[in-house]
Amino acid sequence: MEGAAVEVESDVAVVGAGAAGLSLALRLARPPAGGRRVTAVLLAAPPGPFSAPRRTWCFWEAGAGPYDSALTASWRRLRVRSGDGRAVDAVIEPLRYKMLRSDALEDLVGRILAGSPWVTTVQAVAERVESASGGAVVHARRADGGRVTVRARWVFDSRPPERLPPARTTLLQHFRGWFVRTRRPVFDPGVVELMDFRTPQPAHGLSFGYVLPTGPCEALVEYTEFSRGPLGRDAYDRALRHYLRDVLGAGDHEVLECEQGVIPMTDADFPRRTAASVFRIGAAAGATRPATGYTFSAVQRQTGAVAAALHAGRRPVPPRVHSARSRYMDAVLLHALDHGRVDGPAFFTRLFGHVPAPRLLRFLDGRTGLAEDLSIGLHVPVPAMLGSALALPFAPRRSAPATAPPPATT
């Protein structure tokens, strides 16, 4: 027998409890002094086939942040290695590179929501969202089969779209990672190996190793590619074994846990509004930086703006979190990578070798001004980038295949 039907009314419905949904719910649970109080329902998938597996988000920020108590680790230094092994070490202070596991974020936000009179969590899978008089209605189903109906003035949907919007270029950042423990000290706990290009390069795109060390013998080690399509699990595992054994010299090791994901890297224009009172947030609303795949920091800016609008009584349209200039530069780079105009490993190694790391990270986060962008542009292959810039206006936008990518790490 199905469970009982439940109807809820609220100012806001947040669909999905990934990074975007949790971040918005957290902000609504902590209204600012003097701000308008807003009631919200967070629809989170119950444990089971519709809930996302554990995943890792990484980001950088200066000083203390709201998620510091939930971090797995943080670092002041990054390293990029060229294909021939040349290392570029960078101190990123005043920034810190931070690693946050999804279960730790869920626990942190869950504790705060439990003590908030403004936000209620309902474990149910949203099946459809439809417009209604004065707002919208979310139809969902609990694990016991019971129906949940949430009527809200505003709905913020963080679920990935079934199909990516048309784009001139769509690459995928796809990866598989192992949490490993080695028998002897192998890792430097003070440095993140951000891009290690000592991996065999694919015929199209690029690949690199990524190491987040949490101790001398423990790390998350990932094999990542930027290319047009993902690999099979066996291919990722072969690449990881090669990287651990032949590149890092890790020797005997134990794989404690795995994670895998696909992040679209695309110059598509993601719609942020799907109906009069229904908006998308997070990666579904274009929060992913097209040329890097980083998403978490942009999600914080976007959900912060939405919450501020709600608490001020304004129309809560999610803003574009990457400027037109940033999106254009990313579109040019994606076109150049996709058409083989630039050597990806050489491109990124040169940038990290010639641009101060804090400035480059601000650039990758979309926080630099025109003068800083121009100074960074001095270190890119100008003829290749100019060729893609001239070709871009004539490149047709094509629809990508239907997609529901696994959760991302960044």
Side-chain angles (χ1 to χ4, degrees):
M1 179 180 296
E2 289 192 352
V6 175
E7 290 199 13
V8 183
E9 290 192 7
S10 183
D11 296 322
V12 170
V14 181
V15 180
L22 291 172
S23 298
L24 180 55
L26 178 63
R27 284 167 167 79
L28 296 179
R30 292 173 159 177
R36 180 180 178 180
R37 270 42 179 171
V38 177
T39 59
V41 172
L42 173 65
L43 287 161
F50 293 102
S51 63
R54 292 178 69 193
R55 62 268 196 212
T56 304
W57 295 298
C58 289
F59 58 99
W60 48 85
E61 62 184 349
Y67 306 115
D68 280 5
S69 64
L71 297 177
T72 299
S74 67
W75 301 267
R76 293 187 174 90
R77 294 167 54 207
L78 303 179
R79 180 179 294 134
V80 173
R81 292 184 188 269
S82 65
D84 61 8
R86 180 172 57 89
V88 177
D89 286 89
V91 176
I92 65 172
E93 290 181 321
L95 303 174
R96 290 186 72 93
Y97 193 83
K98 299 182 176 183
M99 176 185 184
L100 177 64
R101 299 298 311 276
S102 60
D103 55 341
L105 178 61
E106 290 164 4
D107 289 345
L108 172 65
V109 175
R111 290 194 300 271
I112 294 169
L113 297 190
S116 170
W118 309 112
V119 182
T120 301
T121 301
V122 175
Q123 288 197 337
V125 177
E127 296 181 331
R128 71 182 191 279
V129 180
E130 59 187 19
S131 293
S133 176
V137 178
V138 183
H139 298 275
R141 189 180 293 273
R142 299 194 308 268
D144 64 2
R147 293 189 176 278
V148 177
T149 303
V150 181
R151 300 181 183 277
R153 175 68 185 90
W154 306 107
V155 174
F156 298 92
D157 192 346
S158 66
R159 296 172 299 171
E162 293 182 0
R163 186 179 297 273
L164 295 173
R168 291 164 296 198
T169 308
T170 297
L171 296 176
L172 300 178
Q173 181 179 155
H174 52 98
F175 54 86
R176 182 169 170 81
W178 289 347
F179 288 84
V180 300
R181 179 183 295 130
T182 59
R183 289 192 176 181
R184 58 183 181 80
V186 173
F187 308 111
D188 181 348
V191 186
V192 170
E193 297 278 352
L194 189 69
M195 287 180 157
D196 186 346
F197 293 110
R198 294 177 295 171
T199 52
Q201 295 301 308
H204 178 270
L206 60 91
S207 72
F208 56 89
Y210 177 48
V211 182
L212 296 167
T214 55
C217 300
E218 297 85 27
L220 169 57
V221 180
E222 290 186 355
Y223 173 79
T224 301
E225 282 193 11
F226 294 179
S227 62
R228 292 177 181 166
L231 307 177
R233 176 175 169 175
D234 289 346
Y236 288 118
D237 286 348
R238 285 195 299 272
L240 280 165
R241 283 193 293 270
H242 166 76
Y243 183 62
L244 276 163
R245 181 188 66 237
D246 300 330
V247 178
L248 298 181
D252 292 340
H253 61 272
E254 178 185 5
V255 178
L256 306 175
E257 189 179 346
C258 301
E259 66 177 32
Q260 188 168 329
V262 178
I263 305 170
M265 303 173 67
T266 173
D267 64 358
D269 186 12
F270 287 80
R272 291 163 291 147
R273 181 177 176 180
T274 59
S277 297
V278 182
F279 301 99
R280 290 192 176 277
I281 55 173
T288 299
R289 183 72 195 261
T292 65
Y294 281 99
T295 305
F296 193 84
S297 291
V299 162
Q300 304 313 303
R301 298 198 297 272
Q302 188 181 71
T303 55
V306 168
L310 288 166
H311 288 137
R314 303 192 308 269
R315 191 172 184 81
V317 180
R320 290 188 184 275
V321 286
H322 302 298
S323 68
R325 186 174 70 250
S326 294
R327 296 196 306 273
Y328 175 74
M329 289 187 295
D330 283 5
V332 172
L333 177 56
L334 287 176
H335 187 277
L337 287 171
D338 190 39
H339 288 78
R341 294 178 185 271
V342 298
D343 179 315
F347 178 89
F348 287 107
T349 302
R350 179 175 176 81
L351 279 183
F352 276 93
H354 290 81
V355 179
R359 181 189 304 171
L360 185 55
L361 291 179
R362 289 198 308 273
F363 170 77
L364 296 178
D365 223 8
R367 294 178 178 270
T368 47
L370 178 59
E372 290 177 300
D373 290 350
L374 291 174
S375 72
I376 292 170
L378 297 175
H379 304 290
V380 304
V382 174
M385 300 298 281
L386 181 60
S388 278
L390 293 173
L392 202 60
F394 305 99
R397 289 187 178 272
R398 296 186 174 91
S399 296
T403 179
T409 63
T410 54

Short mmCIF file of all heavy atoms in Angstrom, two decimals, residues 171-206:
data_model
loop_
_atom_site.label_atom_id
_atom_site.label_comp_id
_atom_site.label_asym_id
_atom_site.label_seq_id
_atom_site.Cartn_x
_atom_site.Cartn_y
_atom_site.Cartn_z
N LEU A 171 32.88 19.78 -24.89
CA LEU A 171 33.80 18.75 -24.45
C LEU A 171 33.31 18.23 -23.09
O LEU A 171 32.46 18.84 -22.45
CB LEU A 171 35.22 19.30 -24.31
CG LEU A 171 35.90 19.79 -25.59
CD1 LEU A 171 37.26 20.39 -25.28
CD2 LEU A 171 36.03 18.66 -26.60
N LEU A 172 33.84 17.11 -22.68
CA LEU A 172 33.51 16.56 -21.37
C LEU A 172 34.78 16.47 -20.53
O LEU A 172 35.82 16.03 -21.02
CB LEU A 172 32.89 15.17 -21.50
CG LEU A 172 31.58 15.08 -22.29
CD1 LEU A 172 31.12 13.63 -22.35
CD2 LEU A 172 30.50 15.95 -21.69
N GLN A 173 34.69 16.92 -19.31
CA GLN A 173 35.73 16.63 -18.33
C GLN A 173 35.26 15.39 -17.57
O GLN A 173 34.32 15.45 -16.79
CB GLN A 173 35.93 17.79 -17.36
CG GLN A 173 37.02 17.52 -16.34
CD GLN A 173 37.23 18.69 -15.38
OE1 GLN A 173 37.70 18.49 -14.26
NE2 GLN A 173 36.90 19.90 -15.79
N HIS A 174 35.89 14.27 -17.86
CA HIS A 174 35.45 13.01 -17.26
C HIS A 174 36.60 12.38 -16.51
O HIS A 174 37.77 12.52 -16.90
CB HIS A 174 34.87 12.07 -18.32
CG HIS A 174 35.74 11.84 -19.51
ND1 HIS A 174 36.54 10.73 -19.62
CD2 HIS A 174 35.93 12.56 -20.64
CE1 HIS A 174 37.19 10.78 -20.78
NE2 HIS A 174 36.84 11.88 -21.42
N PHE A 175 36.30 11.69 -15.44
CA PHE A 175 37.36 11.25 -14.53
C PHE A 175 36.90 10.07 -13.70
O PHE A 175 35.71 9.80 -13.55
CB PHE A 175 37.76 12.40 -13.59
CG PHE A 175 36.58 12.98 -12.85
CD1 PHE A 175 36.15 12.43 -11.66
CD2 PHE A 175 35.88 14.06 -13.37
CE1 PHE A 175 35.05 12.94 -10.99
CE2 PHE A 175 34.78 14.58 -12.71
CZ PHE A 175 34.37 14.02 -11.52
N ARG A 176 37.87 9.40 -13.16
CA ARG A 176 37.64 8.38 -12.13
C ARG A 176 38.73 8.54 -11.10
O ARG A 176 39.90 8.78 -11.44
CB ARG A 176 37.64 6.98 -12.71
CG ARG A 176 37.34 5.88 -11.67
CD ARG A 176 37.09 4.55 -12.36
NE ARG A 176 37.04 3.42 -11.46
CZ ARG A 176 35.97 3.07 -10.73
NH1 ARG A 176 34.87 3.79 -10.80
NH2 ARG A 176 36.00 2.02 -9.94
N GLY A 177 38.35 8.47 -9.82
CA GLY A 177 39.32 8.66 -8.75
C GLY A 177 39.31 7.53 -7.75
O GLY A 177 38.25 6.91 -7.51
N TRP A 178 40.47 7.25 -7.21
CA TRP A 178 40.61 6.26 -6.13
C TRP A 178 41.10 6.97 -4.87
O TRP A 178 42.07 7.74 -4.92
CB TRP A 178 41.65 5.19 -6.50
CG TRP A 178 41.25 4.24 -7.56
CD1 TRP A 178 40.02 4.04 -8.09
CD2 TRP A 178 42.13 3.32 -8.24
NE1 TRP A 178 40.05 3.05 -9.05
CE2 TRP A 178 41.34 2.59 -9.16
CE3 TRP A 178 43.49 3.04 -8.16
CZ2 TRP A 178 41.87 1.61 -9.99
CZ3 TRP A 178 44.04 2.06 -8.97
CH2 TRP A 178 43.23 1.35 -9.88
N PHE A 179 40.44 6.69 -3.75
CA PHE A 179 40.99 7.06 -2.46
C PHE A 179 41.92 5.91 -2.07
O PHE A 179 41.46 4.77 -1.89
CB PHE A 179 39.88 7.23 -1.42
CG PHE A 179 39.05 8.47 -1.63
CD1 PHE A 179 37.99 8.47 -2.53
CD2 PHE A 179 39.34 9.64 -0.93
CE1 PHE A 179 37.23 9.60 -2.72
CE2 PHE A 179 38.59 10.78 -1.13
CZ PHE A 179 37.53 10.77 -2.03
N VAL A 180 43.19 6.19 -1.96
CA VAL A 180 44.17 5.12 -1.77
C VAL A 180 44.94 5.31 -0.48
O VAL A 180 45.09 6.42 0.04
CB VAL A 180 45.16 5.04 -2.96
CG1 VAL A 180 44.43 4.77 -4.27
CG2 VAL A 180 46.00 6.31 -3.06
N ARG A 181 45.44 4.18 0.03
CA ARG A 181 46.39 4.17 1.15
C ARG A 181 47.59 3.33 0.72
O ARG A 181 47.43 2.17 0.31
CB ARG A 181 45.74 3.58 2.39
CG ARG A 181 46.71 3.52 3.60
CD ARG A 181 46.08 2.86 4.81
NE ARG A 181 44.96 3.65 5.31
CZ ARG A 181 43.76 3.15 5.58
NH1 ARG A 181 43.51 1.86 5.35
NH2 ARG A 181 42.80 3.92 6.05
N THR A 182 48.77 3.91 0.78
CA THR A 182 49.99 3.22 0.38
C THR A 182 50.72 2.68 1.61
O THR A 182 50.51 3.15 2.74
CB THR A 182 50.92 4.18 -0.38
OG1 THR A 182 51.25 5.29 0.45
CG2 THR A 182 50.24 4.69 -1.65
N ARG A 183 51.59 1.70 1.37
CA ARG A 183 52.33 1.10 2.49
C ARG A 183 53.47 2.00 2.96
O ARG A 183 53.87 1.93 4.12
CB ARG A 183 52.88 -0.26 2.09
CG ARG A 183 51.80 -1.32 1.95
CD ARG A 183 52.42 -2.71 1.84
NE ARG A 183 51.41 -3.75 1.81
CZ ARG A 183 51.67 -5.04 1.74
NH1 ARG A 183 52.94 -5.46 1.70
NH2 ARG A 183 50.69 -5.93 1.70
N ARG A 184 54.01 2.80 2.06
CA ARG A 184 55.10 3.69 2.44
C ARG A 184 54.74 5.12 2.04
O ARG A 184 53.87 5.34 1.20
CB ARG A 184 56.40 3.27 1.74
CG ARG A 184 56.30 3.25 0.24
CD ARG A 184 57.59 2.76 -0.40
NE ARG A 184 57.52 2.75 -1.86
CZ ARG A 184 57.68 3.82 -2.63
NH1 ARG A 184 57.94 4.99 -2.06
NH2 ARG A 184 57.60 3.73 -3.94
N PRO A 185 55.37 6.12 2.67
CA PRO A 185 55.06 7.51 2.35
C PRO A 185 55.36 7.82 0.88
O PRO A 185 56.47 7.59 0.40
CB PRO A 185 55.97 8.31 3.29
CG PRO A 185 56.31 7.37 4.39
CD PRO A 185 56.36 6.01 3.76
N VAL A 186 54.37 8.32 0.17
CA VAL A 186 54.50 8.63 -1.25
C VAL A 186 54.11 10.08 -1.54
O VAL A 186 54.70 10.74 -2.39
CB VAL A 186 53.62 7.68 -2.09
CG1 VAL A 186 53.61 8.10 -3.56
CG2 VAL A 186 54.09 6.25 -1.96
N PHE A 187 53.12 10.59 -0.78
CA PHE A 187 52.52 11.88 -1.10
C PHE A 187 53.08 12.99 -0.22
O PHE A 187 53.46 12.75 0.93
CB PHE A 187 51.00 11.79 -0.93
CG PHE A 187 50.37 10.65 -1.67
CD1 PHE A 187 49.83 9.58 -0.98
CD2 PHE A 187 50.34 10.64 -3.05
CE1 PHE A 187 49.25 8.51 -1.65
CE2 PHE A 187 49.77 9.57 -3.74
CZ PHE A 187 49.23 8.51 -3.04
N ASP A 188 53.09 14.18 -0.76
CA ASP A 188 53.45 15.38 0.00
C ASP A 188 52.15 16.01 0.48
O ASP A 188 51.41 16.59 -0.32
CB ASP A 188 54.22 16.35 -0.89
CG ASP A 188 54.67 17.61 -0.14
OD1 ASP A 188 54.19 17.83 0.99
OD2 ASP A 188 55.46 18.39 -0.69
N PRO A 189 51.84 15.93 1.77
CA PRO A 189 50.54 16.42 2.26
C PRO A 189 50.37 17.93 2.11
O PRO A 189 49.25 18.43 2.27
CB PRO A 189 50.52 16.01 3.74
CG PRO A 189 51.62 15.04 3.91
CD PRO A 189 52.64 15.33 2.86
N GLY A 190 51.44 18.64 1.80
CA GLY A 190 51.35 20.09 1.72
C GLY A 190 51.07 20.62 0.33
O GLY A 190 50.93 21.84 0.15
N VAL A 191 51.00 19.74 -0.68
CA VAL A 191 50.88 20.21 -2.06
C VAL A 191 49.82 19.40 -2.81
O VAL A 191 49.81 18.17 -2.76
CB VAL A 191 52.22 20.08 -2.82
CG1 VAL A 191 52.11 20.71 -4.21
CG2 VAL A 191 53.35 20.72 -2.04
N VAL A 192 48.94 20.10 -3.53
CA VAL A 192 48.01 19.46 -4.45
C VAL A 192 48.67 19.34 -5.81
O VAL A 192 49.21 20.33 -6.34
CB VAL A 192 46.71 20.28 -4.59
CG1 VAL A 192 45.85 19.76 -5.73
CG2 VAL A 192 45.92 20.25 -3.29
N GLU A 193 48.68 18.15 -6.38
CA GLU A 193 49.10 17.97 -7.78
C GLU A 193 47.87 18.31 -8.63
O GLU A 193 47.01 17.46 -8.87
CB GLU A 193 49.56 16.54 -8.03
CG GLU A 193 50.79 16.13 -7.24
CD GLU A 193 52.09 16.60 -7.88
OE1 GLU A 193 52.05 17.13 -9.02
OE2 GLU A 193 53.15 16.43 -7.25
N LEU A 194 47.78 19.55 -9.07
CA LEU A 194 46.58 20.02 -9.74
C LEU A 194 46.44 19.44 -11.14
O LEU A 194 45.35 19.00 -11.54
CB LEU A 194 46.59 21.55 -9.81
CG LEU A 194 45.31 22.21 -10.29
CD1 LEU A 194 44.20 22.04 -9.26
CD2 LEU A 194 45.55 23.69 -10.58
N MET A 195 47.52 19.46 -11.90
CA MET A 195 47.53 18.89 -13.25
C MET A 195 48.90 18.26 -13.47
O MET A 195 49.90 18.96 -13.55
CB MET A 195 47.28 19.97 -14.31
CG MET A 195 45.86 20.47 -14.40
SD MET A 195 45.70 21.74 -15.70
CE MET A 195 43.95 21.63 -16.06
N ASP A 196 48.92 16.96 -13.55
CA ASP A 196 50.15 16.23 -13.81
C ASP A 196 50.01 15.59 -15.19
O ASP A 196 49.31 14.60 -15.37
CB ASP A 196 50.38 15.16 -12.74
CG ASP A 196 51.72 14.45 -12.87
OD1 ASP A 196 52.36 14.60 -13.93
OD2 ASP A 196 52.12 13.75 -11.93
N PHE A 197 50.69 16.19 -16.18
CA PHE A 197 50.53 15.77 -17.57
C PHE A 197 51.46 14.62 -17.96
O PHE A 197 51.63 14.34 -19.15
CB PHE A 197 50.75 16.96 -18.50
CG PHE A 197 49.68 18.02 -18.38
CD1 PHE A 197 49.96 19.25 -17.80
CD2 PHE A 197 48.40 17.77 -18.82
CE1 PHE A 197 48.98 20.22 -17.68
CE2 PHE A 197 47.40 18.73 -18.70
CZ PHE A 197 47.70 19.97 -18.13
N ARG A 198 52.01 13.93 -16.98
CA ARG A 198 52.84 12.75 -17.27
C ARG A 198 51.98 11.52 -17.51
O ARG A 198 52.39 10.39 -17.22
CB ARG A 198 53.82 12.50 -16.11
CG ARG A 198 54.85 13.60 -15.93
CD ARG A 198 55.74 13.33 -14.73
NE ARG A 198 54.98 13.37 -13.49
CZ ARG A 198 55.47 13.00 -12.30
NH1 ARG A 198 56.71 12.54 -12.21
NH2 ARG A 198 54.72 13.08 -11.22
N THR A 199 50.81 11.70 -18.03
CA THR A 199 49.91 10.62 -18.41
C THR A 199 49.92 10.49 -19.93
O THR A 199 50.14 11.48 -20.63
CB THR A 199 48.48 10.93 -17.94
OG1 THR A 199 48.11 12.23 -18.39
CG2 THR A 199 48.38 10.88 -16.41
N PRO A 200 49.68 9.30 -20.46
CA PRO A 200 49.57 9.19 -21.92
C PRO A 200 48.47 10.09 -22.45
O PRO A 200 47.33 10.05 -21.95
CB PRO A 200 49.25 7.70 -22.13
CG PRO A 200 49.74 7.02 -20.88
CD PRO A 200 49.53 8.01 -19.77
N GLN A 201 48.79 10.90 -23.45
CA GLN A 201 47.80 11.85 -23.96
C GLN A 201 46.91 11.19 -25.01
O GLN A 201 47.40 10.48 -25.89
CB GLN A 201 48.51 13.07 -24.54
CG GLN A 201 49.27 13.90 -23.50
CD GLN A 201 48.35 14.41 -22.40
OE1 GLN A 201 47.31 15.01 -22.66
NE2 GLN A 201 48.74 14.14 -21.14
N PRO A 202 45.60 11.43 -24.94
CA PRO A 202 44.68 10.85 -25.93
C PRO A 202 44.86 11.50 -27.30
O PRO A 202 45.46 12.58 -27.42
CB PRO A 202 43.30 11.15 -25.35
CG PRO A 202 43.51 12.39 -24.52
CD PRO A 202 44.90 12.27 -23.95
N ALA A 203 44.33 10.87 -28.33
CA ALA A 203 44.44 11.41 -29.68
C ALA A 203 43.70 12.73 -29.80
O ALA A 203 44.08 13.60 -30.59
CB ALA A 203 43.89 10.41 -30.69
N HIS A 204 42.65 12.89 -29.04
CA HIS A 204 41.86 14.13 -29.05
C HIS A 204 41.73 14.63 -27.62
O HIS A 204 41.38 13.87 -26.73
CB HIS A 204 40.48 13.90 -29.66
CG HIS A 204 39.61 15.13 -29.66
ND1 HIS A 204 38.78 15.44 -28.62
CD2 HIS A 204 39.48 16.13 -30.57
CE1 HIS A 204 38.15 16.57 -28.89
NE2 HIS A 204 38.55 17.00 -30.07
N GLY A 205 42.01 15.91 -27.40
CA GLY A 205 41.88 16.46 -26.05
C GLY A 205 43.15 16.32 -25.25
O GLY A 205 44.27 16.34 -25.78
N LEU A 206 43.02 16.15 -23.95
CA LEU A 206 44.18 16.04 -23.06
C LEU A 206 43.81 15.21 -21.85
O LEU A 206 42.64 14.97 -21.56
CB LEU A 206 44.65 17.44 -22.64
CG LEU A 206 43.65 18.33 -21.88
CD1 LEU A 206 43.77 18.16 -20.37
CD2 LEU A 206 43.88 19.80 -22.22
#
